[in-house]
Amino acid sequence: MAKIMKLFLIFVLVISLVESTLIPRQTENGDACARISVDYKKSKGDPSFSAKYSDVKECLDSIPYNRELAEKIIENVKKTLQGFYVFLSQAKEEPQPGFSFKAVDLIKELDALLLKDYTSDYRFMTDINNLFSELKDAHLNFISLCYNHFIFKQQLYLYSVINKDDIQIIKIFDDEIDHSTVDCEVTHIDGRPSMEVIKEFADTINKSKDAGARFNIALTALKINENGGHNISSSKFTIRNSLPEKSSIDYSLTGVVVIPNVMPSDSDFVNQMFELQKGFKLLEDKGVQKLIFDFNENGGGYVDLALFFVFLLFPNSSPSFHNDMVVSELSRALFDAATSRSIHENSIDTTVITPPPSFSIESLTRWAVDTANEVTDSSSNFDIFAFKDPLADRHFHTVEEFIGNNTFVRGGTPTRYTTKFVDRHSQKINILTKLLAGNFKEYKWMSEDMIILTNGNCGSSCSLITQRMAEMFNVKTVGVGGYKDTPLSYASFPGGMVYLDHALNIELEGLELFKNETLKDSLPSPFNNTVIMSFTLREVYDVNDDRVLEFTYKPAKYRLYYDEQSARDPSKLWLKVAKIFEQ
Ligand SMILES: *[C@@H]1O[C@H](CO)[C@@H](O)[C@H](O)[C@H]1NC(C)=O
Ligand SMILES: *[C@@H]1O[C@H](CO)[C@@H](O)[C@H](O)[C@H]1NC(C)=O
Ligand SMILES: *[C@@H]1O[C@H](CO)[C@@H](O)[C@H](O)[C@H]1NC(C)=O
Ligand SMILES: *[C@@H]1O[C@H](CO)[C@@H](O)[C@H](O)[C@H]1NC(C)=O
Ligand SMILES: *[C@@H]1O[C@H](CO)[C@@H](O)[C@H](O)[C@H]1NC(C)=O
């Protein structure tokens, strides 16, 4: 059934942050902003309050472009990236086959923004964000706090299936207003073929270098919730600029392990360790022979937890990654300053630590976690004593040794990187598992008893899990959705470590580098709470080779597509996946 319908665009005011900061400024700055604010107050904080499109547009455009301020911002962004953004050079390289994004010379493009004539501050700030988005590195962000108060929402949720004529189409998954449209095919959007419109939109999404994964993110997918039910994911085509969802880990008793994210369900790492082990034990006690890991819609979380997860399934392994950072005048100054104040110089030799005379596994575990934390914790991300040289299997002793002599030509630019190192997360897990040796249950599942299922939207530390399991232990990978007859990545934006401009400033301040005259020209000045910028500080490498994981195309070995049933019922999808065990 084909049906033409109008899509209503609704702007929903995000309530947090707004009251104190936005409203006074808006009343001064423009009628449209004041109108929204008055309407919102009249609604008495109605959570379904929505503003008029015309008011929102006028409000956003009401703050004039200030060239002097723009120059300052561009300079700051450039200095931060030049000092620390580990992908700055490699971003200039054409993508590997399988990936699709534009090679970008960020510094050049940032300078070019200053040559444009902007009608408002909003358009300028948005251009910086759009430029960042070209890199398809979800860890690289520029968010202007003045303008992120609106969510853009439509009534329709869309999905994609292959129809009986073997053609890929777009259908309606859900309709908040008119349920009779559910499962209708959407042939056109704004008069253009829907596949084409969705593809075009999907390619503006910054979460994956793989077009198929971006397509999946643009559309609706199910996300398993903490009660074992499922929710519609915040499909990017439907809801844009949405707030992060609450997080937890969940288990299902069908032999399917759903890992919706890598966030602890409470802040206690030990509880989380026990919960993971309990989950696996439950499956084993039920006699489950095969495991399907459903990593759909998993945006990542804690590296510690990700590594521990891999360790549990593959004990006697060390699931760490090799990292490096860029060496610039600034990063070097930070390595020097942070290391000279390090508390780690006489790192504790863990082989001489003896456990307390306690019989409770819980207290033993708590002690081991505390001890591992104590040995590996660091107040600075630039303290080189906190890192270990994986080849020599010992800690670095001097900044010179850590920096080494590693110049790689990336994106045509010779760029210096530190010696490869293992970070404190891996060390923590390594120490922890050593201290608790003999106390972990070994499960009977082998690599061939496991399958990883993802729609490509498995990012950051989720991708660290899947990459390790797939590349190091040969666990089969299945990609679902994406474009027909096109391979699909099983993970996205592995990065290494994301860092916030705000944290960088605290570090620079604490180490008194703002006072250092030598560094005056290369130091970024703080954004004064008007902007949140994040960037990738460390990059991780593929197993046993020199390829940077972020830029390495890794398609899933097996492909599946959604149909009308499996798009709505994950268990249908799992049954299809289970057949792959037989192949
Ligand atoms: C990248 O995606 C995130 C999540 O959708 C979004 O909040 C952010 O603004 C995007 N960043 C850029 C530079 O587009
Ligand atoms: C998920 O769905 C359940 C009902 O199935 C609902 O109670 C819950 O609020 C939803 N969660 C989110 C984050 O939308
Ligand atoms: C200032 O920074 C430079 C470059 O890192 C460093 O060599 C110098 O020792 C620093 N000066 C002070 C006073 O810390
Ligand atoms: C650094 O490496 C380059 C080329 O690999 C070499 O020519 C140079 O001598 C090295 N410098 C030092 C200080 O080891
Ligand atoms: C932040 O404020 C300080 C002090 O007023 C000023 O020197 C600096 O230029 C400002 N930074 C930006 C990016 O506006």
PDB file of all heavy atoms in Angstrom, residues 454-479:
ATOM      1  N   THR A 454      25.747  -7.555  15.060  1.00  0.00           N
ATOM      2  CA  THR A 454      25.661  -6.090  15.191  1.00  0.00           C
ATOM      3  C   THR A 454      25.058  -5.471  13.938  1.00  0.00           C
ATOM      4  O   THR A 454      25.094  -6.057  12.864  1.00  0.00           O
ATOM      5  CB  THR A 454      27.038  -5.380  15.414  1.00  0.00           C
ATOM      6  OG1 THR A 454      27.616  -5.025  14.148  1.00  0.00           O
ATOM      7  CG2 THR A 454      27.998  -6.223  16.193  1.00  0.00           C
ATOM      8  N   ASN A 455      24.494  -4.254  14.111  1.00  0.00           N
ATOM      9  CA  ASN A 455      24.047  -3.486  12.955  1.00  0.00           C
ATOM     10  C   ASN A 455      25.079  -2.413  12.608  1.00  0.00           C
ATOM     11  O   ASN A 455      24.778  -1.440  11.957  1.00  0.00           O
ATOM     12  CB  ASN A 455      22.667  -2.862  13.214  1.00  0.00           C
ATOM     13  CG  ASN A 455      22.689  -1.882  14.378  1.00  0.00           C
ATOM     14  OD1 ASN A 455      23.697  -1.762  15.085  1.00  0.00           O
ATOM     15  ND2 ASN A 455      21.602  -1.174  14.579  1.00  0.00           N
ATOM     16  N   GLY A 456      26.299  -2.601  13.091  1.00  0.00           N
ATOM     17  CA  GLY A 456      27.371  -1.644  12.821  1.00  0.00           C
ATOM     18  C   GLY A 456      27.404  -0.531  13.846  1.00  0.00           C
ATOM     19  O   GLY A 456      28.411   0.124  14.035  1.00  0.00           O
ATOM     20  N   ASN A 457      26.275  -0.335  14.532  1.00  0.00           N
ATOM     21  CA  ASN A 457      26.222   0.701  15.546  1.00  0.00           C
ATOM     22  C   ASN A 457      26.687   0.122  16.874  1.00  0.00           C
ATOM     23  O   ASN A 457      25.942  -0.006  17.826  1.00  0.00           O
ATOM     24  CB  ASN A 457      24.800   1.266  15.656  1.00  0.00           C
ATOM     25  CG  ASN A 457      24.748   2.521  16.513  1.00  0.00           C
ATOM     26  OD1 ASN A 457      25.781   3.054  16.899  1.00  0.00           O
ATOM     27  ND2 ASN A 457      23.549   2.978  16.819  1.00  0.00           N
ATOM     28  N   CYS A 458      27.944  -0.288  16.873  1.00  0.00           N
ATOM     29  CA  CYS A 458      28.604  -0.822  18.062  1.00  0.00           C
ATOM     30  C   CYS A 458      29.879  -0.004  18.132  1.00  0.00           C
ATOM     31  O   CYS A 458      30.818  -0.239  17.382  1.00  0.00           O
ATOM     32  CB  CYS A 458      28.871  -2.312  17.856  1.00  0.00           C
ATOM     33  SG  CYS A 458      30.150  -3.035  18.893  1.00  0.00           S
ATOM     34  N   GLY A 459      29.843   1.025  18.974  1.00  0.00           N
ATOM     35  CA  GLY A 459      30.924   2.003  18.917  1.00  0.00           C
ATOM     36  C   GLY A 459      31.821   2.010  20.123  1.00  0.00           C
ATOM     37  O   GLY A 459      31.514   1.420  21.154  1.00  0.00           O
ATOM     38  N   SER A 460      32.957   2.672  19.976  1.00  0.00           N
ATOM     39  CA  SER A 460      33.862   2.954  21.079  1.00  0.00           C
ATOM     40  C   SER A 460      34.232   1.653  21.800  1.00  0.00           C
ATOM     41  O   SER A 460      34.702   0.723  21.157  1.00  0.00           O
ATOM     42  CB  SER A 460      33.184   3.957  22.007  1.00  0.00           C
ATOM     43  OG  SER A 460      34.122   4.718  22.673  1.00  0.00           O
ATOM     44  N   SER A 461      33.995   1.540  23.116  1.00  0.00           N
ATOM     45  CA  SER A 461      34.470   0.334  23.800  1.00  0.00           C
ATOM     46  C   SER A 461      33.708  -0.914  23.361  1.00  0.00           C
ATOM     47  O   SER A 461      34.228  -2.021  23.489  1.00  0.00           O
ATOM     48  CB  SER A 461      34.463   0.493  25.312  1.00  0.00           C
ATOM     49  OG  SER A 461      33.233   0.952  25.747  1.00  0.00           O
ATOM     50  N   CYS A 462      32.484  -0.771  22.820  1.00  0.00           N
ATOM     51  CA  CYS A 462      31.804  -1.943  22.242  1.00  0.00           C
ATOM     52  C   CYS A 462      32.650  -2.470  21.083  1.00  0.00           C
ATOM     53  O   CYS A 462      32.831  -3.682  20.920  1.00  0.00           O
ATOM     54  CB  CYS A 462      30.413  -1.561  21.732  1.00  0.00           C
ATOM     55  SG  CYS A 462      29.544  -2.907  20.917  1.00  0.00           S
ATOM     56  N   SER A 463      33.203  -1.560  20.279  1.00  0.00           N
ATOM     57  CA  SER A 463      33.994  -2.039  19.148  1.00  0.00           C
ATOM     58  C   SER A 463      35.292  -2.683  19.626  1.00  0.00           C
ATOM     59  O   SER A 463      35.827  -3.571  18.975  1.00  0.00           O
ATOM     60  CB  SER A 463      34.244  -0.925  18.130  1.00  0.00           C
ATOM     61  OG  SER A 463      35.195  -0.027  18.599  1.00  0.00           O
ATOM     62  N   LEU A 464      35.777  -2.268  20.805  1.00  0.00           N
ATOM     63  CA  LEU A 464      36.979  -2.927  21.330  1.00  0.00           C
ATOM     64  C   LEU A 464      36.677  -4.391  21.651  1.00  0.00           C
ATOM     65  O   LEU A 464      37.493  -5.281  21.415  1.00  0.00           O
ATOM     66  CB  LEU A 464      37.508  -2.199  22.573  1.00  0.00           C
ATOM     67  CG  LEU A 464      37.931  -0.741  22.367  1.00  0.00           C
ATOM     68  CD1 LEU A 464      38.567  -0.187  23.631  1.00  0.00           C
ATOM     69  CD2 LEU A 464      38.898  -0.582  21.201  1.00  0.00           C
ATOM     70  N   ILE A 465      35.493  -4.657  22.184  1.00  0.00           N
ATOM     71  CA  ILE A 465      35.114  -6.046  22.487  1.00  0.00           C
ATOM     72  C   ILE A 465      34.996  -6.849  21.196  1.00  0.00           C
ATOM     73  O   ILE A 465      35.590  -7.926  21.051  1.00  0.00           O
ATOM     74  CB  ILE A 465      33.750  -6.108  23.221  1.00  0.00           C
ATOM     75  CG1 ILE A 465      33.819  -5.409  24.561  1.00  0.00           C
ATOM     76  CG2 ILE A 465      33.323  -7.564  23.407  1.00  0.00           C
ATOM     77  CD1 ILE A 465      32.490  -5.427  25.321  1.00  0.00           C
ATOM     78  N   THR A 466      34.220  -6.326  20.245  1.00  0.00           N
ATOM     79  CA  THR A 466      33.970  -7.117  19.033  1.00  0.00           C
ATOM     80  C   THR A 466      35.245  -7.310  18.225  1.00  0.00           C
ATOM     81  O   THR A 466      35.478  -8.384  17.679  1.00  0.00           O
ATOM     82  CB  THR A 466      32.869  -6.478  18.155  1.00  0.00           C
ATOM     83  OG1 THR A 466      33.200  -5.122  17.892  1.00  0.00           O
ATOM     84  CG2 THR A 466      31.515  -6.536  18.841  1.00  0.00           C
ATOM     85  N   GLN A 467      36.074  -6.258  18.151  1.00  0.00           N
ATOM     86  CA  GLN A 467      37.320  -6.384  17.396  1.00  0.00           C
ATOM     87  C   GLN A 467      38.202  -7.474  18.000  1.00  0.00           C
ATOM     88  O   GLN A 467      38.764  -8.295  17.289  1.00  0.00           O
ATOM     89  CB  GLN A 467      38.126  -5.070  17.434  1.00  0.00           C
ATOM     90  CG  GLN A 467      37.392  -3.871  16.900  1.00  0.00           C
ATOM     91  CD  GLN A 467      37.603  -3.646  15.429  1.00  0.00           C
ATOM     92  OE1 GLN A 467      38.142  -4.512  14.750  1.00  0.00           O
ATOM     93  NE2 GLN A 467      37.176  -2.509  14.936  1.00  0.00           N
ATOM     94  N   ARG A 468      38.326  -7.464  19.325  1.00  0.00           N
ATOM     95  CA  ARG A 468      39.183  -8.459  19.975  1.00  0.00           C
ATOM     96  C   ARG A 468      38.639  -9.866  19.759  1.00  0.00           C
ATOM     97  O   ARG A 468      39.345 -10.786  19.386  1.00  0.00           O
ATOM     98  CB  ARG A 468      39.271  -8.191  21.488  1.00  0.00           C
ATOM     99  CG  ARG A 468      40.431  -7.356  21.895  1.00  0.00           C
ATOM    100  CD  ARG A 468      41.732  -7.998  21.453  1.00  0.00           C
ATOM    101  NE  ARG A 468      42.847  -7.087  21.566  1.00  0.00           N
ATOM    102  CZ  ARG A 468      43.361  -6.385  20.571  1.00  0.00           C
ATOM    103  NH1 ARG A 468      42.853  -6.457  19.357  1.00  0.00           N
ATOM    104  NH2 ARG A 468      44.400  -5.606  20.750  1.00  0.00           N
ATOM    105  N   MET A 469      37.329 -10.016  19.981  1.00  0.00           N
ATOM    106  CA  MET A 469      36.752 -11.354  19.866  1.00  0.00           C
ATOM    107  C   MET A 469      36.833 -11.849  18.428  1.00  0.00           C
ATOM    108  O   MET A 469      37.107 -13.025  18.179  1.00  0.00           O
ATOM    109  CB  MET A 469      35.314 -11.361  20.386  1.00  0.00           C
ATOM    110  CG  MET A 469      35.308 -11.263  21.908  1.00  0.00           C
ATOM    111  SD  MET A 469      33.713 -11.162  22.718  1.00  0.00           S
ATOM    112  CE  MET A 469      32.806 -12.496  22.046  1.00  0.00           C
ATOM    113  N   ALA A 470      36.618 -10.956  17.478  1.00  0.00           N
ATOM    114  CA  ALA A 470      36.625 -11.368  16.074  1.00  0.00           C
ATOM    115  C   ALA A 470      38.041 -11.584  15.557  1.00  0.00           C
ATOM    116  O   ALA A 470      38.334 -12.592  14.915  1.00  0.00           O
ATOM    117  CB  ALA A 470      35.916 -10.327  15.219  1.00  0.00           C
ATOM    118  N   GLU A 471      38.944 -10.667  15.858  1.00  0.00           N
ATOM    119  CA  GLU A 471      40.266 -10.695  15.232  1.00  0.00           C
ATOM    120  C   GLU A 471      41.244 -11.586  15.987  1.00  0.00           C
ATOM    121  O   GLU A 471      42.098 -12.214  15.398  1.00  0.00           O
ATOM    122  CB  GLU A 471      40.855  -9.286  15.136  1.00  0.00           C
ATOM    123  CG  GLU A 471      39.957  -8.274  14.460  1.00  0.00           C
ATOM    124  CD  GLU A 471      39.798  -8.524  12.971  1.00  0.00           C
ATOM    125  OE1 GLU A 471      40.765  -9.003  12.345  1.00  0.00           O
ATOM    126  OE2 GLU A 471      38.709  -8.223  12.438  1.00  0.00           O
ATOM    127  N   MET A 472      41.129 -11.608  17.309  1.00  0.00           N
ATOM    128  CA  MET A 472      42.104 -12.359  18.087  1.00  0.00           C
ATOM    129  C   MET A 472      41.623 -13.789  18.307  1.00  0.00           C
ATOM    130  O   MET A 472      42.415 -14.711  18.344  1.00  0.00           O
ATOM    131  CB  MET A 472      42.323 -11.668  19.421  1.00  0.00           C
ATOM    132  CG  MET A 472      43.717 -11.787  19.963  1.00  0.00           C
ATOM    133  SD  MET A 472      43.759 -10.840  21.476  1.00  0.00           S
ATOM    134  CE  MET A 472      45.288  -9.976  21.299  1.00  0.00           C
ATOM    135  N   PHE A 473      40.289 -13.941  18.437  1.00  0.00           N
ATOM    136  CA  PHE A 473      39.779 -15.264  18.800  1.00  0.00           C
ATOM    137  C   PHE A 473      38.858 -15.862  17.744  1.00  0.00           C
ATOM    138  O   PHE A 473      38.205 -16.872  17.990  1.00  0.00           O
ATOM    139  CB  PHE A 473      39.066 -15.180  20.158  1.00  0.00           C
ATOM    140  CG  PHE A 473      39.930 -14.600  21.234  1.00  0.00           C
ATOM    141  CD1 PHE A 473      39.673 -13.350  21.767  1.00  0.00           C
ATOM    142  CD2 PHE A 473      41.047 -15.290  21.693  1.00  0.00           C
ATOM    143  CE1 PHE A 473      40.485 -12.796  22.747  1.00  0.00           C
ATOM    144  CE2 PHE A 473      41.866 -14.750  22.677  1.00  0.00           C
ATOM    145  CZ  PHE A 473      41.588 -13.505  23.203  1.00  0.00           C
ATOM    146  N   ASN A 474      38.800 -15.200  16.561  1.00  0.00           N
ATOM    147  CA  ASN A 474      38.029 -15.752  15.440  1.00  0.00           C
ATOM    148  C   ASN A 474      36.570 -16.032  15.714  1.00  0.00           C
ATOM    149  O   ASN A 474      36.016 -17.008  15.201  1.00  0.00           O
ATOM    150  CB  ASN A 474      38.668 -17.060  14.951  1.00  0.00           C
ATOM    151  CG  ASN A 474      39.962 -16.779  14.242  1.00  0.00           C
ATOM    152  OD1 ASN A 474      40.031 -15.840  13.445  1.00  0.00           O
ATOM    153  ND2 ASN A 474      40.984 -17.555  14.545  1.00  0.00           N
ATOM    154  N   VAL A 475      35.951 -15.209  16.534  1.00  0.00           N
ATOM    155  CA  VAL A 475      34.508 -15.359  16.740  1.00  0.00           C
ATOM    156  C   VAL A 475      33.806 -14.842  15.484  1.00  0.00           C
ATOM    157  O   VAL A 475      34.187 -13.824  14.926  1.00  0.00           O
ATOM    158  CB  VAL A 475      34.050 -14.570  17.994  1.00  0.00           C
ATOM    159  CG1 VAL A 475      32.540 -14.597  18.140  1.00  0.00           C
ATOM    160  CG2 VAL A 475      34.723 -15.143  19.237  1.00  0.00           C
ATOM    161  N   LYS A 476      32.780 -15.583  15.022  1.00  0.00           N
ATOM    162  CA  LYS A 476      32.063 -15.191  13.808  1.00  0.00           C
ATOM    163  C   LYS A 476      31.291 -13.893  14.020  1.00  0.00           C
ATOM    164  O   LYS A 476      30.733 -13.674  15.096  1.00  0.00           O
ATOM    165  CB  LYS A 476      31.051 -16.282  13.420  1.00  0.00           C
ATOM    166  CG  LYS A 476      31.687 -17.499  12.803  1.00  0.00           C
ATOM    167  CD  LYS A 476      30.625 -18.561  12.530  1.00  0.00           C
ATOM    168  CE  LYS A 476      31.269 -19.775  11.897  1.00  0.00           C
ATOM    169  NZ  LYS A 476      30.419 -20.958  12.033  1.00  0.00           N
ATOM    170  N   THR A 477      31.230 -13.077  12.969  1.00  0.00           N
ATOM    171  CA  THR A 477      30.499 -11.814  13.065  1.00  0.00           C
ATOM    172  C   THR A 477      29.367 -11.791  12.044  1.00  0.00           C
ATOM    173  O   THR A 477      29.534 -12.243  10.911  1.00  0.00           O
ATOM    174  CB  THR A 477      31.437 -10.619  12.790  1.00  0.00           C
ATOM    175  OG1 THR A 477      32.178 -10.882  11.593  1.00  0.00           O
ATOM    176  CG2 THR A 477      32.391 -10.392  13.930  1.00  0.00           C
ATOM    177  N   VAL A 478      28.218 -11.277  12.459  1.00  0.00           N
ATOM    178  CA  VAL A 478      27.067 -11.154  11.565  1.00  0.00           C
ATOM    179  C   VAL A 478      26.633  -9.694  11.544  1.00  0.00           C
ATOM    180  O   VAL A 478      26.385  -9.098  12.595  1.00  0.00           O
ATOM    181  CB  VAL A 478      25.870 -11.993  12.066  1.00  0.00           C
ATOM    182  CG1 VAL A 478      24.700 -11.885  11.099  1.00  0.00           C
ATOM    183  CG2 VAL A 478      26.278 -13.437  12.257  1.00  0.00           C
ATOM    184  N   GLY A 479      26.539  -9.117  10.349  1.00  0.00           N
ATOM    185  CA  GLY A 479      26.050  -7.745  10.211  1.00  0.00           C
ATOM    186  C   GLY A 479      24.598  -7.781   9.767  1.00  0.00           C
ATOM    187  O   GLY A 479      24.251  -8.508   8.845  1.00  0.00           O
TER     188      GLY A 479
END
